[in-house]
């Protein structure tokens, strides 16, 4: 059951992880706007997300077939729960088991090679941070992150409504 829930949220989770990593890079650029010789860095979101999904197995070309016999989306494959889990109850009302969760966020180097921005107006001290461009990128990334969170929240609410409705 956990692997089905994990598969349902694999794409959104990876997208949010890459957005959060990009936000760290952009905030680092803003923080180092006055550091001599600092090179502004960024990551290509679409290629970083594709790479992260490929590494977790969530974007392979083969689709997973559900128990109902219908094919799921290729990106909805399980990304973090290992198979072979067994559940055992030690007392009434308790649930225990052996589940091994694999972190799917991964290391920051999993999101691709960092790219350095080409400055539109180079500074004499070698710093390539353009605060106006960084603010725009930061606001754009924030908006996309928040919309991704809204989508994930709606998915959770729908799933909770389906569970609690009894059908």
């Amino acid at each position: 059951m956990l692997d089905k829930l994990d598969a349902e949220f694999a794409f959104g989770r990876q997208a949010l992880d890459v957005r959060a990593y990009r936000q760290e890079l952009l905030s680092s650029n803003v923080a180092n706007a006055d550091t001599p010789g600092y090179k502004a860095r960024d990551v290509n979101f679409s290629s970083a997300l594709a790479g992260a999904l490929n590494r977790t197995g969530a974007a392979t070309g083969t689709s997973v077939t559900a128990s109902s016999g219908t094919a799921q989306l290729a990106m909805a494959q399980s990304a973090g729960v290992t198979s072979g889990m067994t559940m055992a109850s030690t007392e009434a009302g308790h649930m225990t088991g052996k589940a091994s969760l694999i972190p799917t966020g991964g290391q920051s180097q999993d999101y691709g090679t960092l790219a350095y921005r080409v400055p539109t107006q180079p500074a004499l001290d070698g710093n390539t941070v353009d605060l106006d461009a960084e603010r725009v990128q930061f606001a754009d990334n924030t908006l996309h992150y928040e919309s991704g969170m809204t989508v994930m929240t709606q998915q959770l609410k729908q799933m909770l409504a389906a569970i609690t409705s009894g059908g």
Side-chain angles (χ1 to χ4, degrees):
M1 169 125 173
L2 287 177
D3 55 343
K4 290 180 183 176
L5 290 174
D6 190 46
E8 184 69 29
F9 299 109
F11 178 80
R13 182 184 55 244
Q14 288 297 332
L16 290 176
D17 284 346
V18 174
R19 286 278 176 209
Y21 175 63
R22 184 165 188 244
Q23 201 75 344
E24 289 177 22
L25 288 174
L26 294 172
S27 63
S28 176
N29 291 344
V30 171
N32 287 292
D34 293 326
T35 304
Y38 183 82
K39 308 292 183 208
R41 302 172 300 161
D42 201 355
V43 65
N44 184 328
F45 175 77
S46 59
S47 65
L49 178 59
L53 288 170
N54 281 333
R55 273 185 294 287
T56 61
T60 59
T62 60
S63 64
V64 176
T65 304
S67 58
S68 62
T70 60
Q72 295 177 350
L73 293 173
M75 288 186 278
Q77 294 181 12
S78 175
V81 179
T82 60
S83 61
M85 293 188 299
T86 58
M87 299 294 285
S89 177
T90 58
E91 292 182 24
H94 287 182
M95 287 180 46
T96 62
K98 294 187 324 187
S100 175
L101 297 177
I102 302 166
T104 56
Q107 299 294 323
S108 59
Q109 63 265 25
D110 289 347
Y111 299 130
T113 307
L114 290 178
Y116 293 99
R117 291 191 198 270
V118 177
T120 54
Q121 184 176 356
L124 293 176
D125 65 356
N127 188 307
T128 62
V129 176
D130 179 5
L131 278 177
D132 292 330
E134 297 298 328
R135 286 185 192 121
V136 168
Q137 293 294 326
F138 192 87
D140 179 66
N141 195 59
T142 300
L143 181 65
H144 282 93
Y145 185 86
E146 289 177 1
S147 65
M149 284 296 294
T150 302
V151 168
M152 293 285 288
T153 301
Q154 290 301 321
Q155 287 178 335
L156 285 169
K157 285 180 181 178
Q158 289 174 352
M159 198 172 289
L160 184 60
I163 291 170
T164 57
S165 68

